[in-house]
Amino acid sequence: MAGQRGADPIAEFCAGLRRLQQESGLSRGELARRINYGRSQLYVILNGQVRRPPEWDRLVEPLVRACTGDDERVVASWRRRHGVLVQVCQELQRQQGRDGPSAAVSLRAPPAQLPADVSVFTGRVEELAELDCLLAASRSAPSGDSTAVVISAVSGTAGVGKTALALRWAHRVRGEFPDGQLYVNLRGYDPGPPMSAGDALAGFLRALGLGGQDIPLEVDERAGAYRSLLAGRRMLVVLDNAADGGQVRPLLPGTSSCVVVVTSRDAMAGLVARDGARRLDLDLLPLGDAVALLRTLIGERVVAEPAAAVTLAGQCARLPLALRVAAELAASRPGAGLAELVAELADEQRRLDLFDAGGDSHTAVRPVFSWSYRHLSTPAARAFRLLGLHPGPDLDSYAAAALCATSRDQIQPLLDLLARAHLLAPMGHGRYGMHDLLRAYATHLAIAEDSEQEREAALTRLFDHYLATAAAAMDTLHPAEKHRRPRISLPTTPIPPVTEPTTARAWLDAERATLTAACGYTSAHGWSSHTTRLADTLFRYLETGGHYPDALTIHTHARHAAHHTRDRAAEAHALTNLGVIHLRQDRYQQAIDHLQQALTLARTTGDRNSEARALTNLGLTFELLGDYEQAGDQHRQALALVREISDRAAEARTLSNLGIIDQRQGRYQQAGDQHRQALALAREISDRAAEAHTLSNLGAVERCQGHYGQATDHLQRALTLFGELGDRTGQAYTLDDLGVVDQRQGDYQQAAERHQRALTLFRELGDRSGEAYALDHLGVVDQRLGHYQQAGERFRSALALFGELGDRGGEARTRNDVGENYYATGQLAEARCAHTAALGMAAQIGDRYEQARAHDGLGSAHHAGGDREQARRHWREALTLYTGLSVPEAEDVRAQLAALEPAQDGDRPE
């Protein structure tokens, strides 16, 4: 396919595809799905590392024809005038933007991540004006110029109000950024390690609309996706508390339409010199502004005792953080004069004797902190010290109670007191954080005043609390898998109520960042068992919720913890968990690598259970790759192994897995036989969970064969068992399958009720894959009832979810449903386009049933458009596939072919 005369068509193709990705705002993963490429294939193209795009002829030609109605003149014109695929993608984007899902980012509200503005802000008029000037300059900045502003402190001074200034200005000008505001605390000077650029990018990419499935693994790829999503957008990015330029550089957009504000104690000289950032030095508050802040915070006593107020401002080193702490102590003692307080602080300064000529920020504010700390009650002082040990970004009252070995009723007044004293910062929703200077001071005090055993006991209580609450939340969400998770003892301190699915999921979502930090801390500081057990406990939540970047971080910590303690069984388990997460992201080679490492480790240690689990997941990986021979081989090895170790439950599950592979390949008779063997075994050993799952799988196979009575019977029995077992996930999937059986028999009212019940359960459980399938099935019911617009809305929602999850099988199914909806409303060109996209996806993953549906739909669309030859060709393909699958749809297609024209000798459909 030639491009313009003299142009390299491959180079034109790649350049055009890069332009399309940048201009459309589509993520790489979303664009890959739109054009039916694998993400890894697309990355190679976009990075300019390809000589010939993969599957060029297979991909381009069908899409061009589908989008042009096979008009040869239009095809030829597109070939001559443009990079062909760019035009095809634009047409697909136009069609999908009108009648299908747009890019994920365009469907979401702009991110608005700025924390609340500071309640009391004084001074900094010149600095705010300078920021306004830089904003004005950014509007006319040439493309490619940096618009990063570094708010840096002179001599690295902490507590000078960098964050307060950045947030005050950001809130003032946020209306200038209609595409949103991003914010992250990089924790550059916390006692623990700073946030990595990769983790910060993952958070930004999620805020910009990418699901965990689409977030690349490597930092460079994440940075590239981030820059692509910001290209041409008007956004404000606040990078707070950065450690150094290396942490910041990957977070800089590649477009002058975005403005970045960086706060740091570091001068960021490299960022200024190499990246063109502008530096705004922030000095101590001028004396007049410092006194004005005290007057606002304390009141009339500052006016009555101006000399004492000036002295107090100097004692606080004119640092806003210290001024707030001192002012709160003064306000809490209304009967004391300022001069008296100033004298007390002077005594504290002499007592500590921490002044030095270097002007270190810690020595400048420590007397003020110490003065305030010494006025705390003994319980509040102990709470302050222990809260400084917390490794996460924030905590709630339950975690605080665990650290302090007290009740929630007793800890809450202490938290309120510390917050009033500005020694703790309320973060909203009952959560509290601590300024890094205060955290460092609290940690210093804990080391000085609490024994190592006391500190270790406090942290152990904290980690026990997180482990127990996570286990309780998972038991609520996934009770049927309780026996597969580590057994966790109840902690000695209270845990929040997580007995309802909504509260369980809300707690997990709120604590996810803290749980990730806890895994990192426990792995590095000797609580390895907590790391591995917490990772195993959270596995299903992270997997079904699509929290893949966090899952990779947590399971990597677990792997390192297990390796360090030579716990080979735990290490194999962590490797298998990592393999499964890579598998969910379509990173098949990484999945295979991790699973094979787990397999080798399990065989070395003789851990047959881990060996069987690794083999089973390898089988699932090869199954998703469409390599059913390899998949079957892995499952058969697992089957032999579990029989050898007499694990009858695992044997039943493996037999059922083999049945699923047969079903995927259309071997329904063999699939049914495998499931019936598994069912007999499950009943023999009284494994009701295995029995329920096998009944559900058997019902699904019978549904595909058109044996609706048997399917209903088996699915109803499975539903009853799942209900008795408290397995709400099993109930949801079985209800959804029953709804499909109802659809096939024309009972749309009952189908809709069952699909809606399933959808409600999936949403409560946070199972996004199940949610997508239920939405698709509800759309089919709407379409059958003639509610075409509502059906289209359901399909759009399902496609968006399947796209985020990377479920190509689900996406192929829904695109066929979209095609049928278009056909029902007479939109034949759109129907052909949807079925063609479904055909490409189904062929790529080896799904013969959806390939047959796509050909069937294309046959109908061409026939309705008067192209009998194309209709005949597609229906013949559909008939061949349906016949091979032994499904009832074959008879319908045979009848359509027979009615198309009188059969002639030698040309009789088979």
Side-chain angles (χ1 to χ4, degrees):
M1 293 186 179
Q4 295 176 340
R5 186 182 299 272
D8 178 355
I10 305 299
E12 183 181 345
F13 173 96
C14 297
L17 198 52
R18 284 193 293 273
R19 285 196 304 274
L20 173 66
Q21 199 244 333
Q22 292 169 357
E23 293 169 6
S24 68
L26 294 171
S27 69
R28 290 184 173 189
E30 177 67 16
L31 181 58
R33 286 192 296 275
R34 294 284 181 88
I35 64 175
N36 197 25
Y37 264 11
R39 280 195 303 274
S40 58
Q41 293 174 333
L42 182 64
Y43 291 173
V44 168
I45 295 171
L46 294 179
N47 292 335
Q49 300 168 342
V50 68
R51 293 183 179 180
R52 178 179 179 82
E55 303 179 78
W56 172 279
D57 297 324
R58 181 198 66 76
L59 175 67
V60 175
E61 195 72 30
L63 290 180
V64 172
R65 293 187 181 280
C67 291
T68 61
D70 289 345
D71 187 325
E72 290 294 343
R73 290 173 298 177
V74 177
V75 172
S77 173
W78 279 9
R79 287 176 178 172
R80 285 194 308 270
R81 294 188 297 109
H82 300 284
V84 173
L85 188 59
V86 174
Q87 291 296 314
V88 174
C89 291
Q90 288 173 339
E91 175 63 15
L92 283 176
Q93 187 181 348
R94 182 186 69 79
Q95 297 286 355
Q96 293 168 342
R98 186 179 67 201
D99 299 298
S102 302
V105 293
S106 66
L107 293 175
R108 298 171 64 100
Q113 295 188 325
L114 294 178
D117 195 1
V118 289
S119 57
V120 177
F121 187 91
T122 301
R124 303 302 190 194
V125 175
E126 293 181 3
E127 289 86 352
L128 288 168
E130 186 170 350
L131 286 169
D132 287 339
C133 290
L134 292 172
L135 174 60
S138 74
R139 298 190 187 102
S140 58
S143 178
D145 277 15
S146 172
T147 52
V149 180
V150 179
I151 299 180
S152 179
V154 174
S155 303
T157 301
V160 77
K162 301 180 296 296
T163 299
L165 173 64
L167 292 179
R168 170 52 57 102
W169 182 76
H171 279 281
R172 275 182 30 174
V173 301
R174 62 183 177 180
E176 298 275 347
F177 300 94
D179 294 315
Q181 309 92 42
L182 297 171
Y183 171 88
V184 64
N185 179 359
L186 295 170
R187 304 180 69 187
Y189 292 89
D190 275 15
M195 178 182 289
S196 70
D199 287 345
L201 284 166
F204 280 172
L205 290 173
R206 281 194 293 267
L208 291 167
L210 264 67
Q213 175 73 23
D214 284 333
I215 296 175
L217 186 60
E218 302 299 329
V219 173
D220 288 346
E221 289 187 354
R222 289 182 182 181
Y226 168 69
R227 289 192 295 270
S228 296
L229 288 173
L230 292 188
R233 296 185 173 208
R234 188 77 177 160
M235 297 191 76
L236 175 63
V237 182
V238 180
L239 308 176
D240 195 15
N241 198 16
D244 52 42
Q247 186 188 27
V248 167
R249 194 164 285 111
L251 306 175
L252 298 179
T255 176
S256 59
S257 61
C258 294
V259 171
V260 182
V261 176
V262 184
T263 74
S264 177
R265 297 184 202 172
D266 187 83
M268 297 281 176
L271 208 65
V272 172
R274 290 176 49 191
D275 300 280
R278 297 87 181 273
R279 182 178 173 194
L280 175 62
D281 287 339
L282 193 60
D283 206 339
L284 306 177
L285 275 176
L287 182 59
D289 289 343
V291 173
L293 180 58
L294 287 174
R295 184 169 57 249
T296 303
L297 295 169
I298 298 174
E300 290 304 313
R301 279 185 291 170
V302 172
V303 178
E305 300 180 75
V310 169
T311 303
L312 180 58
Q315 289 173 318
C316 293
R318 289 183 282 138
L319 293 172
L321 176 62
L323 288 164
R324 290 174 186 277
V325 172
E328 179 55 38
L329 183 57
S332 69
R333 300 169 63 189
L338 279 190
E340 179 183 340
L341 299 176
V342 165
E344 287 184 13
L345 181 52
D347 289 341
E348 188 69 23
Q349 289 172 319
R350 284 190 292 271
R351 186 186 71 80
L352 292 174
D353 195 25
L354 288 174
F355 288 111
D356 66 8
D360 178 74
S361 60
H362 291 73
T363 65
V365 297
R366 189 168 293 166
V368 181
F369 293 167
S370 175
W371 181 45
S372 181
Y373 170 74
R374 283 165 63 84
H375 283 85
L376 295 174
S377 66
T378 299
R382 178 174 177 268
F384 175 69
R385 296 194 305 270
L386 295 181
L387 293 176
L389 301 176
H390 188 273
D394 52 32
L395 81 170
D396 65 5
S397 59
Y398 288 97
L403 273 167
C404 299
T406 188
S407 70
R408 190 167 176 241
D409 288 341
Q410 290 173 315
I411 197 65
Q412 191 60 58
L414 302 180
L415 296 174
D416 294 339
L417 188 155
L418 293 173
R420 286 195 303 273
H422 293 280
L423 297 176
L424 201 63
M427 308 295 287
H429 306 290
R431 305 187 71 80
Y432 299 87
M434 192 177 281
H435 190 283
D436 54 7
L437 273 184
L438 285 164
R439 186 188 294 269
Y441 178 62
T443 303
H444 166 78
L445 290 174
I447 293 172
E449 300 185 29
D450 301 304
S451 69
E452 183 178 352
Q453 291 77 12
E454 288 173 319
R455 299 195 305 274
E456 182 177 331
L459 285 170
T460 300
R461 289 192 301 270
L462 177 71
F463 301 139
D464 285 347
H465 161 77
Y466 283 133
L467 189 53
T469 312
M474 292 303 293
D475 287 348
T476 297
L477 292 172
H478 300 282
E481 296 184 357
K482 184 175 182 178
H483 65 288
R484 299 184 188 177
R485 292 188 289 270
R487 294 183 179 180
I488 308 300
S489 301
L490 286 175
T492 57
T493 55
I495 65 172
V498 289
T499 54
E500 295 296 327
T502 50
T503 56
R505 181 155 299 282
W507 184 87
L508 289 165
D509 290 342
E511 298 288 355
R512 190 168 69 247
T514 295
L515 294 171
T516 304
C519 281
Y521 188 93
T522 53
S523 175
H525 293 87
W527 282 271
S528 297
S529 174
H530 283 80
T531 314
T532 54
R533 287 183 295 159
L534 186 54
D536 283 343
T537 299
L538 294 171
F539 171 79
R540 188 66 68 199
Y541 160 73
L542 296 168
E543 181 210 13
T544 60
H547 307 303
Y548 301 132
D550 293 322
L552 290 175
T553 300
I554 285 172
H555 294 310
T556 298
H557 286 317
R559 178 190 179 184
H560 290 161
H563 183 78
H564 180 71
T565 56
R566 300 177 182 245
D567 186 343
R568 299 295 181 250
E571 186 175 0
H573 211 67
L575 282 164
T576 299
N577 289 343
L578 283 167
V580 172
I581 298 303
H582 282 297
L583 172 60
R584 294 293 177 262
Q585 295 180 278
D586 295 342
R587 295 173 181 143
Y588 298 121
Q589 190 55 55
Q590 289 98 323
I592 290 169
D593 289 346
H594 282 88
L595 291 169
Q596 287 179 337
Q597 289 179 61
L599 185 61
T600 299
L601 198 57
R603 285 172 171 167
T604 300
T605 59
D607 187 340
R608 314 307 291 277
N609 289 313
S610 288
E611 183 180 353
R613 183 170 180 245
L615 282 166
T616 297
N617 282 294
L618 276 168
L620 295 174
T621 304
F622 286 118
E623 179 185 337
L624 289 172
L625 279 168
D627 190 342
Y628 296 116
E629 182 177 348
Q630 274 272 33
D633 181 59
Q634 301 296 327
H635 284 311
R636 280 185 286 274
Q637 287 186 58
L639 182 61
L641 181 60
V642 296
R643 282 173 171 166
E644 179 185 330
I645 60 177
S646 299
D647 188 339
R648 311 296 295 282
E651 182 179 352
R653 289 195 300 271
T654 308
L655 280 166
S656 200
N657 284 334
L658 283 166
I660 290 171
I661 289 177
D662 285 329
Q663 180 183 344
R664 292 275 176 89
Q665 294 178 283
R667 296 197 295 262
Y668 296 130
Q669 186 61 49
Q670 295 94 315
D673 291 342
Q674 300 280 15
H675 289 315
R676 278 183 281 273
Q677 288 184 58
L679 182 61
L681 182 55
R683 286 171 171 166
E684 179 185 331
I685 61 176
S686 300
D687 188 333
R688 299 173 75 221
E691 181 180 354
H693 283 286
T694 306
L695 281 167
S696 184
N697 289 335
L698 182 58
V701 171
E702 290 164 340
R703 182 201 72 214
C704 292
Q705 293 176 291
H707 303 156
Y708 300 129
Q710 296 174 33
T712 299
D713 178 58
H714 286 128
L715 289 169
Q716 286 282 16
R717 286 155 65 189
L719 185 63
T720 299
L721 269 176
F722 282 131
E724 293 172 358
L725 292 166
D727 186 342
R728 302 173 81 237
T729 301
Q731 286 179 282
Y733 278 100
T734 306
L735 276 169
D736 206 34
D737 278 340
L738 278 166
V740 175
V741 175
D742 292 332
Q743 283 183 33
R744 299 287 179 87
Q745 298 179 96
D747 190 346
Y748 299 123
Q749 184 62 41
Q750 182 161 278
E753 291 173 0
R754 282 174 162 156
H755 291 317
Q756 188 59 56
R757 286 170 60 195
L759 179 63
T760 300
L761 278 172
F762 285 132
R763 284 175 170 166
E764 288 179 358
L765 294 164
D767 190 326
R768 303 174 76 213
S769 177
E771 181 182 353
Y773 279 100
L775 283 166
D776 174 68
H777 294 149
L778 280 168
V780 172
V781 171
D782 287 329
Q783 191 260 327
R784 297 284 196 277
L785 293 172
H787 305 152
Y788 301 118
Q789 183 175 352
Q790 185 169 320
E793 292 170 359
R794 305 270 202 197
F795 294 144
R796 280 192 287 274
S797 298
L799 279 172
L801 278 171
F802 283 133
E804 290 179 24
L805 295 167
D807 185 339
R808 291 176 292 169
E811 193 169 352
R813 173 187 298 193
T814 304
R815 290 198 183 283
N816 270 328
D817 291 335
V818 169
E820 291 173 3
N821 203 45
Y822 281 139
Y823 175 78
T825 56
Q827 300 176 76
L828 302 182
E830 290 84 351
R832 289 196 300 270
C833 196
H835 285 306
T836 299
L839 179 60
M841 282 190 162
Q844 194 176 54
I845 62 176
D847 189 330
R848 292 195 292 161
Y849 181 78
E850 293 304 329
Q851 288 179 66
R853 279 190 69 203
H855 280 299
D856 191 1
L858 285 166
S860 297
H862 281 294
H863 181 253
D867 192 335
R868 297 163 65 88
E869 186 54 40
Q870 286 291 336
R872 182 185 183 87
R873 179 173 71 83
H874 283 293
W875 274 336
R876 279 188 172 278
E877 292 283 355
L879 179 59
T880 299
L881 287 163
Y882 279 144
T883 301
L885 293 169
S886 300
V887 294
E889 287 89 337
E891 289 305 315
D892 295 333
V893 176
R894 186 175 283 110
Q896 288 168 323
L897 276 168
L900 187 61
E901 56 186 357
Q904 299 177 3
D905 293 341
D907 193 26
R908 196 175 300 275
E910 299 177 1

